[in-house]
């Protein structure tokens, strides 16, 4: 069989490397016959989601034969109230992943350049490649974005600059004033895509007043998600806040029913439970400190993180450590695809999950020592 048509597929797609998701718990269960598995691989909320969400989902279940509201009127109303923006500034997506893709597809053609940083969230690269646009990857500074390098990389052909703040998988955070000065210096014809997927995990004093910047910079777009602190990763709901004309344009490309009826109902309920976000923040704060002191004791290097995860530097290829942890029923995330083959990213879990991870890591490191 010749499959000649494969050679004729869109070149941007043919050359893509598939996204490597965290290993699902069910898969490891099947492979190892283990029953107690701890998944700390996808930065999900270890507390689950708000009980109000479960209630809202139960109620909405009787409506699933209906199409969702294509414009997400009620959710946009709740979001605009929550954020202090206009509903016409919002773009809803099937996860912020889809929103990022829609934004880039709306503006970027194969003649254009997209700037992003080394070790930044991989979706920027995947979408840029799929569009056969020119990817301009600036070198990282201390594992984070080098804003000066990003400024210098801007040309007449630059359409979008992507910034993840905090960044995944490194957890680095840009200083709010430096970020503001950077945005101010970006020419008005270049869009800035500021991805704030982990914003809820920041100490209030570290949060950039990015919503208020939208009034000043028409070319600024904020991207956020319900997948992380809100605990709705499985429902897929993300959004962008942008200039109304940007939102209007992207909403033309967006397919009408891209966010489900259940996801919309859940997100509205999630926004109504600020206590749950507060609890999630607090658990993460306390458990991050605990993990950090454990790593210091063990003399394992790590990148100081502003998200709900920590990235460890094992000082040697991390793949065998990943495998050894899997064998003990602990799923973490290898990030060689981010140009970080010696690192592993670990989501901060519950106290108990973290204990299991720490015990497993200790065992695995001891084994490696004895082997070496
Ligand atoms: C997890 C993540 C997202 C996307 O999450 P969705 O589930 O698609 O909303 C976006 N940006 C960053 C930096 C992330 O880590």
């Amino acid at each position: 069989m010749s499959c000649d048509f494969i050679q004729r597929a869109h070149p941007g797609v043919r050359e893509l490397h598939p996204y490597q998701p965290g290993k699902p718990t069910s898969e490891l269960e099947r492979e190892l016959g283990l029953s107690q598995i701890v998944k700390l691989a996808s930065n999900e909320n270890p507390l689950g989601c708000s009980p109000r969400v479960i209630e809202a989902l139960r109620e909405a279940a009787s409506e699933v034969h209906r199409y969702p509201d294509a414009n997400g009127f009620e959710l946009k109303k709740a979001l605009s109230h929550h954020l202090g923006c206009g509903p016409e500034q919002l773009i809803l997506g099937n996860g912020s992943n889809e929103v990022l893709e829609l934004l880039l597809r709306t503006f970027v053609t194969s003649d254009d350049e997209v700037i992003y940083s080394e070790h930044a969230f991989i979706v920027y690269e995947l979408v840029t490649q799929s569009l056969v646009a020119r990817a301009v990857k600036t070198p990282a500074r201390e594992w984070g974005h080098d804003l000066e390098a990003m400024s210098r990389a801007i040309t007449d052909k630059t359409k979008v600059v992507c910034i993840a703040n905090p960044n995944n998988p490194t957890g680095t955070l840009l200083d709010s004033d430096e970020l503001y000065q950077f945005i101010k210096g970006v020419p008005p014809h270049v869009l800035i895509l500021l991805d704030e997927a982990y914003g809820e995990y920041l100490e209030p004093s570290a949060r950039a007043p990015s919503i208020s910047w939208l009034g000043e910079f028409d070319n600024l777009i904020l991207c956020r998600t319900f997948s992380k602190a809100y605990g709705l990763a499985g429902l897929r709901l993300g959004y962008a806040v942008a200039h109304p004309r940007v939102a209007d344009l992207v909403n033309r490309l967006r397919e009408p029913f891209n966010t489900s009826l259940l996801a919309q109902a859940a997100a509205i309920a999630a926004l109504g439970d600020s206590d749950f976000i507060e609890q999630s923040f607090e658990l993460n704060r306390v458990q991050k400190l605990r993990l950090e002191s454990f790593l210091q004791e063990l003399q394992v290097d790590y990148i100081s993180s502003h998200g709900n995860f920590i990235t460890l530097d094992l000082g040697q290829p991390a793949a065998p450590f990943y495998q050894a942890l899997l064998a003990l029923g602990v799923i973490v995330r290898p990030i060689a695809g981010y140009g970080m083959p010696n690192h592993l990213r670990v989501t901060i879990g519950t106290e108990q999950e973290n204990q299991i991870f720490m015990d497993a890591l200790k065992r695995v490191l001891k084994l490696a020592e004895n082997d070496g």
Side-chain angles (χ1 to χ4, degrees):
M1 206 170 64
S2 61
C3 292
D4 280 347
F5 47 85
I6 296 294
Q7 286 312 314
R8 306 183 72 206
H10 192 293
V13 177
R14 224 172 41 217
E15 304 296 327
L16 278 184
H17 296 287
Y19 179 81
Q20 297 285 352
K23 195 181 187 69
T25 304
S26 53
E27 193 177 301
L28 189 61
E29 272 171 9
R30 280 196 302 275
E31 288 172 2
L32 297 183
L34 293 175
S35 59
Q36 210 215 28
I37 288 173
V38 172
K39 185 187 177 207
L40 300 172
S42 302
N43 300 344
E44 294 143 342
N45 189 331
L47 294 179
C49 66
S50 160
R52 295 203 203 175
V53 167
I54 307 291
E55 196 49 45
L57 285 171
R58 270 208 190 92
E59 254 172 59
S62 62
E63 293 297 314
V64 292
H65 58 296
R66 303 282 180 204
Y67 278 100
D69 176 357
N71 291 313
F73 179 84
E74 291 296 336
L75 175 54
K76 283 187 184 174
K77 195 167 106 181
L79 265 176
S80 54
H81 184 74
H82 177 75
L83 300 167
C85 68
E88 72 285 355
Q89 289 181 266
L90 294 167
I91 304 155
L92 303 179
N94 189 34
S96 59
N97 203 315
E98 190 201 28
V99 178
L100 293 167
E101 178 164 359
L102 287 172
L103 281 161
L104 290 173
R105 279 178 60 204
T106 299
F107 290 98
V108 179
T109 73
S110 57
D111 294 329
D112 303 324
E113 296 173 358
V114 176
I115 300 176
Y116 52 82
S117 173
E118 183 189 15
H119 313 311
F121 188 48
I122 208 132
V123 167
Y124 318 139
E125 181 162 274
L126 288 176
V127 180
T128 302
Q129 284 176 357
S130 78
L131 295 167
V132 231
R134 189 161 164 255
V136 180
K137 199 194 266 199
T138 56
R141 209 177 84 192
E142 292 166 21
W143 301 109
H145 296 73
D146 181 343
L147 291 179
E148 278 169 35
M150 296 187 97
S151 272
R152 283 195 303 272
I154 294 173
T155 71
D156 290 345
K157 293 197 160 179
T158 307
K159 277 274 174 75
V160 184
V161 183
C162 303
I163 294 178
N165 200 49
N167 184 43
N168 170 19
T170 60
T172 50
L173 181 75
L174 291 161
D175 173 79
S176 176
D177 294 330
E178 283 173 30
L179 183 56
Y180 175 83
Q181 289 305 328
F182 167 81
I183 294 169
K184 206 167 171 176
V186 171
H189 64 274
V190 176
L191 290 163
I192 304 136
L193 214 171
L194 186 59
D195 182 348
E196 302 183 309
Y198 300 94
E200 292 83 4
Y201 286 111
L202 292 174
E203 296 285 344
S205 63
R207 287 177 202 171
S210 48
I211 293 278
S212 73
W213 294 347
L214 290 168
E216 193 174 343
F217 307 111
D218 293 348
N219 56 339
L220 177 62
I221 304 169
L222 310 179
C223 238
R224 298 187 180 177
T225 181
F226 284 91
S227 296
K228 307 286 158 66
Y230 286 99
L232 304 186
L235 279 169
R236 315 300 305 128
L237 211 131
Y239 62 94
V241 200
H243 189 279
R245 294 193 55 190
V246 171
D248 171 59
L249 212 53
V250 177
N251 277 321
R252 297 183 208 185
L253 174 65
R254 181 183 65 81
E255 52 154 321
F257 305 113
N258 65 327
T259 64
S260 76
L261 183 137
L262 292 175
Q264 290 183 24
I268 293 168
L271 284 174
D273 193 351
S274 53
D275 286 349
F276 178 78
I277 295 297
E278 184 57 39
Q279 281 166 29
S280 303
F281 169 85
E282 194 51 26
L283 174 75
N284 189 63
R285 190 184 68 77
V286 171
Q287 292 300 319
K288 184 155 52 186
L289 288 172
R290 180 165 165 245
L291 273 176
E292 283 173 348
S293 25
F294 168 79
L295 293 170
Q296 285 161 17
E297 228 169 83
L298 237 63
Q299 296 186 309
V300 174
D301 278 338
Y302 61 88
I303 306 170
S304 187
S305 169
H306 294 267
N308 63 342
F309 55 88
I310 298 187
T311 294
L312 318 182
D313 181 358
L314 293 155
Q316 56 183 302
F321 293 91
Y322 167 67
Q323 293 297 342
L325 287 168
L326 277 185
L328 295 175
V330 178
I331 313 176
V332 298
R333 188 68 158 268
I335 48 174
Y338 284 87
M340 302 173 73
N342 291 353
H343 290 78
L344 288 177
R345 192 193 69 195
V346 186
T347 302
I348 296 163
T350 60
E351 182 176 354
Q352 193 198 359
E353 287 172 329
N354 296 334
Q355 191 59 55
I356 294 172
F357 163 70
M358 292 190 293
D359 293 344
L361 183 66
K362 220 175 193 168
R363 275 179 69 184
V364 162
L365 287 171
K366 195 159 278 167
L367 284 177
E369 225 167 75
N370 294 344
D371 283 356

